[in-house]
Amino acid sequence: MSQLLNKKFKRVLSIETSCDDTSVAVVRSDGFVEGLISANQDSFHEPFGGIVPEIAGRNHTLHLLPLIDQLLSDTKISFDDIQGLVVTNRPGLVGSLLVGISTVKTLAQILELPFIGVNHLEGHLQAGFLSDEKHAAVKIEYPYVALAVSGGHSTIYLMHDFGRYEVLGATLDDAAGEAFDKFAKMLGLGFPGGIRVDQHAKNGDAKKYDFPRSMIKENNADMSFSGLKSSAARMLQSMTADEILQNREDLCASFQAAVVDVLVEKLNWAIQKTNCRRAIVTGGVSANSLLRQRCEAWSVKNNIQLVVPPLRYCTDNAAMIGFAGIQRLNKGEFGDLTMGPSPSSLSIDFIGQNR
Ligand code: KG4
Ligand code: ZN
């Protein structure tokens, strides 16, 4: 063990199977991504209008080992070149997490490599600092504010240091990505919805429909998107199918503007409150084109250093998990064979309210 404590981990193999994406990566300790391959399951879940946990778990078992083989052959990296293994072990769908965890434990035994399980959200929080052949490395000093918005979470953190993340506020009900997905479903746009709402909104009039911006004026970093969802459902019920079809772009643009207004305002609140001049915006919804534009304009106007991950690192991927994990391994933290999955974050993961 003492040998491991002094070991410097230069390169890890990482696995992400917490939800519906099967993803594997090779990441270096400086955040450089040497390889990343993901298998998307959208076509399997689309007929059900959302993620079916059993189907997700089953597909991970089919995809994971071939993806690892392909990653190693594409990158020409062998197991001998890897010093450790990283896997998402929380929060997520337990059946999906188990596929990644049992694979990593097995590889660790066979290859005699140390491993660690990391929190998926910590992965998103590290995604802005990944680099590759097309994207230069970005650095930011602690402390900074982070807005993490995905299908399951919408949370604002004060990032004190690596591993010390204080929750400043969070959604009280639906996550922003969930709101996008549900709205897309109501409009018949299919699954996953966020990107489709984004695409339809591009030529729409964002002022045409007045959707609520719940809690936007409240003196806190909390959010709520369930009122917006109900308001959208009522609006669509009052329209004919033809009207909805003809106004789809305006509906998407107006709905998207309501979500983005809230997110930018709450990020701004956190910046004012903490007096930090640095921020990151991350998670699947950070791929949203309006959110990216609005955050960029806000950061320029207010002289804030802003980091938003390249699109390939916004949605779920193993590279962000690898970078979170290799930093932990280099701090002397390791998993053991008793490690299991957890559907939620642990109390040790975040300071403050554990949402
Ligand atoms: O981080 P992520 O890949 O998975 C979770 O950890 O949840 O985030 C997925 C969420 C989905 O709700 C998806 O609709 C949303 O991110 N999303 C978007 C966009 N791309 C993905 N939402 C709005 N605009 C987008 N362009
Ligand atoms: Zn995610």
Side-chain angles (χ1 to χ4, degrees):
M1 190 65 170
S2 60
Q3 260 177 323
L4 275 183
L5 282 175
N6 297 325
K7 188 176 165 96
K8 279 283 156 247
F9 291 80
K10 291 197 191 107
R11 183 186 282 121
V12 287
L13 171 72
S14 53
I15 295 178
E16 156 65 38
T17 62
S18 68
C19 193
D20 61 333
D21 291 301
T22 320
S23 183
V24 295
V26 175
V27 185
R28 286 193 329 226
S29 56
D30 59 357
F32 188 88
V33 181
E34 294 187 311
L36 167 63
I37 314 184
S38 305
N40 174 289
Q41 303 183 7
D42 290 348
S43 61
F44 296 92
H45 299 283
E46 176 145 25
F48 303 94
I51 294 162
V52 183
E54 172 62 20
I55 293 178
R58 232 185 288 155
N59 274 301
H60 289 311
T61 62
L62 293 176
H63 293 151
L64 186 52
L65 295 181
L67 279 186
I68 295 174
D69 277 346
Q70 194 187 332
L71 177 73
L72 297 180
S73 113
D74 287 359
T75 54
K76 300 192 172 46
I77 289 171
S78 80
F79 281 126
D80 293 340
D81 304 318
I82 286 160
Q83 283 100 43
L85 304 163
V86 183
V87 65
T88 307
N89 78 328
R90 64 192 188 276
L93 303 171
V94 167
S96 291
L97 290 164
L98 267 173
V99 180
I101 293 172
S102 42
T103 303
V104 155
K105 282 187 191 172
T106 310
L107 285 174
Q109 291 292 96
I110 297 167
L111 303 168
E112 298 184 2
L113 285 174
F115 68 93
I116 183 143
V118 300
N119 184 307
H120 177 82
L121 292 161
E122 181 170 56
H124 278 302
L125 292 169
Q126 295 300 318
F129 312 112
L130 295 168
S131 60
D132 55 41
E133 274 155 15
K134 291 193 185 129
H135 303 100
V138 179
K139 292 263 176 289
I140 193 168
E141 296 286 313
Y142 288 101
Y144 56 86
V145 169
L147 168 66
V149 266
S150 68
H153 296 85
S154 295
T155 308
I156 299 187
Y157 304 91
L158 177 57
M159 308 284 289
H160 291 280
D161 204 345
F162 178 78
R164 288 190 62 230
Y165 316 131
E166 182 180 357
V167 177
L168 297 179
T171 180
L172 303 183
D173 38 59
D174 291 353
E178 194 180 350
F180 272 113
D181 292 338
K182 287 180 177 165
F183 183 63
K185 197 171 175 182
M186 291 180 216
L187 277 181
L189 293 180
F191 172 87
I195 188 162
R196 298 181 190 183
V197 173
D198 189 351
Q199 282 156 355
H200 280 82
K202 283 204 170 38
N203 301 313
D205 174 4
K207 295 207 166 69
K208 175 121 177 221
Y209 297 98
D210 188 21
F211 286 115
R213 275 96 169 133
S214 307
M215 300 182 74
I216 196 165
K217 293 212 160 67
E218 284 190 18
N219 186 21
N220 57 42
D222 288 336
M223 301 159 243
S224 164
F225 296 104
S226 69
L228 170 63
K229 182 186 65 189
S230 314
S231 153
R234 279 195 302 275
M235 185 170 304
L236 296 180
Q237 274 157 15
S238 72
M239 296 168 78
T240 64
D242 270 359
E243 270 177 307
I244 294 174
L245 199 61
Q246 277 159 21
N247 294 288
R248 207 153 65 169
E249 297 188 340
D250 298 337
L251 284 162
C252 285
S254 302
F255 184 90
Q256 175 176 267
V259 176
V260 170
D261 276 354
V262 172
L263 295 176
V264 176
E265 190 51 42
K266 291 295 175 174
L267 176 62
N268 187 56
W269 181 91
I271 286 284
Q272 305 298 333
K273 182 79 180 171
T274 57
N275 223 2
C276 261
R277 310 309 294 164
R278 296 173 293 274
I280 72 160
V281 178
T282 188
V285 180
S286 68
N288 182 266
S289 55
L290 182 70
L291 182 62
R292 294 173 88 87
Q293 282 162 26
R294 288 279 306 279
C295 286
E296 178 62 29
W298 162 83
S299 70
V300 170
K301 184 169 171 218
N302 295 286
N303 198 21
I304 310 289
Q305 184 194 352
L306 175 72
V307 176
V308 187
L311 284 178
R312 76 188 292 230
Y313 303 129
C314 287
T315 43
D316 289 351
N317 67 87
M320 66 186 195
I321 301 303
F323 191 39
I326 198 167
Q327 291 176 78
R328 289 200 172 265
L329 289 168
N330 275 327
K331 284 175 71 180
E333 295 178 29
F334 304 99
D336 62 40
L337 292 177
T338 65
M339 185 183 86
S342 166
S344 47
S345 292
L346 305 178
S347 57
I348 48 160
D349 290 337
F350 302 108
I351 306 167
Q353 325 146 52
N354 192 10
R355 288 195 179 125

